[in-house]
Amino acid sequence: MIIAVDGPTASGKGTISKELAKYFSLPFLDTGLLYRAVGWTLQEQGGDADNPADALAACVFDSTLLDNPALRREVVGGLASRVSVHPEVRRALDKRQKDFAYQPAGAVLDGRDIGTVIAPDADVKLFVTASSEARAIRRFEEMKRRGEQVSFDDILADILERDKRDKNRTTAPLKPAEDADLLDTTNLTIDAAIQQAIAMVNAKTSGRRDKDPA
């Protein structure tokens, strides 16, 4: 079984995807970490995130980098969003993602174009979203818990800018697959969102929409 989970930043798709992987005993890949790894590598190389050649050169990195907690930093997320607009970068990372998606054990992948590009024939496609304000609040609280000095207005502006880049890029723009189920987490607790996602997967795979996921 392949489960594709797409959506914008801070929508909750990462947490939901991890829990889906646990519940259905499937391997999990946060594909956004690949782009963050490119952003991190580019920063270390002193490259320009808006230069396609610099960004492509940063696509060569060891898989162990994905375990580096520094990839979760906000500045790295911004770089990831910028390098992801380059078609050359997306092509360079496509094979890693497709190989993971189509392994015999099945998989859960979360990202921006899993259901539309990486695994268009996935068994289940979810598009997780939330209002920009709700997502900014979540990111603001998360960064405060890490002890980072941040401005809510700056975070909201950054989220809106990332959304604009993700939706308007020419290659693999952020959008729901035509057959994706929409999960709006704006007014849901994370537990409620996870339970709803599990129910959606069960409905797609068994046809029993009222199955209790607990």
Side-chain angles (χ1 to χ4, degrees), residues 5 11-19 28 30 110:
V5 185
S11 60
K13 70 180 185 301
T15 302
I16 289 170
S17 298
K18 289 177 187 175
E19 293 302 318
F28 167 67
D30 176 355
D110 87 77

Side-chain angles (χ1 to χ4, degrees), residues 61-81:
F61 56 85
D62 192 277
S63 296
T64 58
L65 178 59
L66 301 179
D67 297 323
N68 188 339
L71 295 186
R72 299 290 183 180
R73 293 175 183 168
E74 197 68 11
V75 64
V76 179
L79 290 170
S81 177

Side-chain angles (χ1 to χ4, degrees), residues 67-212:
D67 297 323
N68 188 339
L71 295 186
R72 299 290 183 180
R73 293 175 183 168
E74 197 68 11
V75 64
V76 179
L79 290 170
S81 177
R82 288 165 62 188
V83 301
S84 70
V85 305
H86 303 305
E88 301 90 338
V89 171
R90 304 201 74 85
R91 284 195 294 269
L93 298 180
D94 272 5
K95 187 176 186 303
R96 288 194 189 205
Q97 298 173 73
K98 289 179 178 178
D99 286 349
F100 191 93
Y102 290 99
Q103 61 185 298
V108 178
L109 297 88
D110 87 77
R112 303 287 195 280
D113 63 345
I114 309 304
T116 54
V117 175
I118 302 301
D121 56 349
D123 300 277
V124 182
K125 301 175 188 177
L126 302 181
F127 191 86
V128 182
T129 189
S131 71
S132 53
E133 290 78 11
R135 291 184 285 130
I137 290 171
R138 292 170 187 171
R139 185 55 51 83
F140 179 68
E141 294 297 333
E142 176 187 343
M143 294 177 71
K144 280 203 307 182
R145 286 194 296 271
R146 294 202 300 254
E148 300 181 39
Q149 297 296 318
V150 291
S151 159
F152 175 80
D153 290 340
D154 287 347
I155 291 175
L156 178 58
D158 180 64
I159 280 178
L160 292 172
E161 182 61 29
R162 288 195 204 183
D163 287 352
K164 182 179 178 181
R165 278 197 299 265
D166 289 342
K167 292 176 181 177
N168 295 321
R169 62 180 177 237
T170 55
T171 302
L174 170 66
K175 63 179 181 179
E178 290 185 3
D179 54 347
D181 286 330
L182 181 66
L183 175 53
D184 190 330
T185 66
T186 301
N187 298 310
L188 295 178
T189 64
I190 189 59
D191 286 343
I194 290 166
Q195 293 303 306
Q196 191 165 329
I198 292 172
M200 286 177 166
V201 174
N202 279 329
K204 279 289 187 180
T205 56
S206 70
R208 289 172 288 151
R209 291 191 171 275
D210 57 350
K211 180 180 177 181
D212 181 6

